[in-house]
Amino acid sequence: MNTQDSKLRGPAVWALVITGVASFMAALDNLVVTTALPAIRADLGGKLEDLEWTVNAYTLTFAVLLLFGSALGDRFGRRKLFIAGLTVFTGASAAAALSSGIDALIAARAVQGVGAAIMMPLTLTLLTAAVPAARRGMALGIYGAVTGLAVASGPLIGGTLTEHISWQWIFWLNVPIGLALIPLARLRLAESTAPGSRLDVPGTLLVSGGLFGIVYALVNANSKGWTSAPVLAGLIVGTLLVCGFVRHGFKSANPMLPMRLFRSRGFLGINLASLLMFLGMFGSIFLLSQFLQGVAGYSPTEAGLRMLPWTGMPMIVAPVAGILSDRIGGRPVVAAGLALQALGLGWFATILSADVSYAAQLPALILSGIGMALYFAPAANVLMSTVAPADQGKASGTNNALREVGGALGVAVLASVFSAQGGYESPQAFTDGTVPALWIGAAAVALAAGLALLLPRRNRAGNTAARASLPTEAEVAPEPDGIAVGR
């Protein structure tokens, strides 16, 4: 036994290092741009909708291609596709750093999202395969902590690089890391596939086109007008394509997202709650990170540091929340976390003014951070308890994708409210736009807290999982393709 453990230790450590660093890069790029937005705007120009797309181009392509990327790995080889995704992500990071205009930056961010969508869901599959079952919990815990650290440090890293070097370095940072990981992955990770897996190209095209149309319409609604032809076309065609995707999920023999999973009350509740949570959180961070610099007058580094009570709180509170959820069940912890996050955003909306002090903002930041931690800690376990074991891979991928979609919609919706009520003309105008947007974000997260009450009670979780769905033979997988990790 000891001999076997020693043989396994090397590959397991290498797998943890490679997949952990790769996931750190992909998670970091969700929020690293936020504190660099004022510098990007000053350097490359662009309007509010252009800044939205520097964030949404990444989150949207990441979201809609995540399940497809996982299926590509199952079909053609997980190590091979992981390396391909890592290569695309690294190359797109260099292209973003070299961008001479805002349109080129947005295009590079979209390609970054494609690379992340291929790379990210395969990290946990490769890690799970490499780590012995006895040490898997520890390995996944370290992996989750690394991903959480990326989210917590994103605004700070982005602000520090922007202030002390240049905003381009938030993208150059990925290049040497990616170039080092590519040969290591080739040499140190084992190849694996899922025999019989199939690609859902029609489903991918439907959801990609639909979500792009809706987000495009929301981003451009105020500049072009809600009744303009491009905006109406985006809303109508996008909605029709999303409806087509839902129908496809019911009718297709092997859809990327089996809609039958949503017949489970718990699965429906946790996924809708996740989407709304990220809608309110990402949209609020998008505006507040700019408020701290453009209105409060902090430098990018100072703004990143002042966001830490919010983004960094899960690193402190999540372990306690995990213990609490084990004792009383996930539903009350998730619901309480979402309620605190909504309260924090509402507090912000109440006290925000052009001359508000940081001391007045601190309680809202702490409340939001505690709420985020209470949500993230039990969310993955709650999600997995709502589906049968054979569906856990698709369930996790679905939850991750919907959270990214929520983030993209949050930036689009809250920025649309901001531009309708205010703007960049003066500190007061920025405040006037931010306050109603924060109320929308708070309302979305409060609704998520209500939906969390749909989650199954602790003593019924096992029965709910059994009732959630009966897998078809094509859907049975040996292990999940991605465990939902708090971002």
Side-chain angles (χ1 to χ4, degrees):
M1 180 66 73
N2 291 337
T3 304
Q4 185 181 13
D5 283 347
S6 63
K7 289 180 180 178
L8 291 170
R9 185 168 299 174
V13 170
W14 277 113
L16 179 58
V17 170
I18 294 166
T19 59
V21 173
S23 70
F24 182 92
M25 288 197 303
L28 185 71
D29 273 59
N30 263 321
L31 288 178
V32 73
V33 176
T34 54
T35 42
L37 288 173
I40 292 172
R41 182 170 177 261
D43 191 14
L44 301 182
K47 296 174 287 187
L48 175 64
E49 51 264 34
D50 297 317
L51 296 182
E52 292 177 63
W53 279 117
T54 62
V55 178
N56 281 346
Y58 180 81
T59 56
L60 199 57
T61 52
F62 189 6
V64 299
L65 295 176
L66 193 148
L67 288 168
F68 191 68
S70 178
L72 282 173
D74 290 345
R75 179 76 177 272
F76 298 110
R78 290 158 179 157
R79 183 186 65 183
K80 184 187 300 182
L81 265 293
F82 172 78
I83 294 172
L86 182 58
T87 303
V88 170
F89 183 87
T90 303
S93 297
L98 293 169
S99 299
S100 57
I102 195 72
D103 292 336
L105 176 60
I106 292 169
R109 288 283 287 165
V111 178
Q112 259 194 316
V114 174
I118 298 171
M119 171 180 71
M120 190 68 172
L122 299 174
T123 56
L124 273 161
T125 309
L126 291 165
L127 179 60
T128 302
V131 177
R135 297 206 304 266
R136 198 167 292 158
M138 179 184 68
L140 292 176
I142 295 171
Y143 176 96
V146 168
T147 308
L149 180 63
V151 175
S153 60
L156 178 58
I157 290 174
T160 302
L161 291 174
T162 299
E163 181 179 353
H164 297 291
I165 309 178
S166 70
W167 65 262
Q168 286 88 348
W169 275 90
I170 64 178
F171 302 113
W172 280 127
L173 181 67
N174 295 327
V175 176
I177 299 173
L179 291 176
L181 287 181
I182 290 168
L184 282 176
R186 177 69 183 84
L187 293 171
R188 298 294 182 177
L189 296 179
E191 185 60 281
S192 65
T193 59
S197 62
R198 300 175 184 176
L199 301 177
D200 183 11
V201 176
T204 302
L205 293 175
L206 285 169
V207 72
S208 301
L211 289 173
F212 176 81
I214 292 170
V215 172
Y216 173 86
L218 291 171
V219 167
N220 291 281
N222 283 295
S223 61
K224 298 181 183 298
W226 283 95
T227 58
S228 65
V231 171
L232 286 177
L235 289 173
I236 294 170
V237 175
T239 301
L240 289 174
L241 289 174
V242 170
C243 290
F245 174 72
V246 172
R247 184 177 185 277
H248 174 78
F250 280 115
K251 300 293 185 181
S252 175
N254 189 46
M256 65 187 295
L257 176 53
M259 290 297 159
R260 60 184 173 77
L261 294 178
F262 288 96
R263 292 170 183 161
S264 162
R265 180 169 59 91
F267 185 81
L268 176 66
I270 189 63
N271 279 289
L272 287 179
S274 297
L275 186 147
L276 290 167
M277 160 69 173
F278 272 68
L279 189 155
M281 183 188 71
F282 260 70
S284 299
I285 289 176
F286 174 79
L287 292 173
L288 288 171
S289 60
Q290 295 181 73
F291 176 89
L292 288 172
Q293 295 178 66
V295 178
Y298 296 116
S299 70
T301 303
E302 290 170 339
L305 281 170
R306 281 162 175 76
M307 294 288 284
L308 278 178
W310 187 355
T311 59
M313 189 62 69
M315 299 294 293
I316 302 171
V317 178
V320 178
I323 295 170
L324 188 63
S325 66
D326 286 341
R327 292 184 177 179
I328 66 173
R331 183 173 76 163
V333 180
V334 168
L338 291 168
L340 286 175
Q341 176 73 85
L343 183 60
L345 293 178
W347 192 314
F348 260 121
T350 301
I351 58 96
L352 213 63
S353 66
D355 58 353
V356 66
S357 67
Y358 180 69
Q361 299 174 55
L362 192 57
L365 288 165
I366 294 173
L367 272 178
S368 296
I370 293 173
M372 188 191 301
L374 291 177
Y375 159 78
F376 279 143
N381 200 28
V382 168
L383 174 75
M384 294 309 179
S385 74
T386 66
V387 296
D391 286 319
Q392 287 183 348
K394 287 187 177 180
S396 177
T398 298
N399 186 258
N400 277 305
L402 286 174
R403 294 191 315 191
E404 295 294 333
V405 168
L409 290 174
V411 171
V413 170
L414 269 64
S416 179
V417 174
F418 166 85
S419 61
Q421 301 294 323
Y424 288 97
E425 296 81 15
S426 67
Q428 188 58 52
F430 196 97
T431 304
D432 291 342
T434 302
V435 169
L438 290 176
W439 280 121
I440 298 296
V445 183
L447 179 58
L451 288 169
L453 298 177
L454 291 175
L455 300 178
R457 295 180 185 276
R458 185 183 182 190
N459 60 357
R460 293 165 55 195
N463 293 335
T464 304
R467 290 197 308 265
S469 56
L470 293 175
T472 63
E473 205 171 304
E475 288 163 347
V476 176
E479 71 278 315
D481 288 328
I483 296 172
V485 177
R487 335 186 137 190

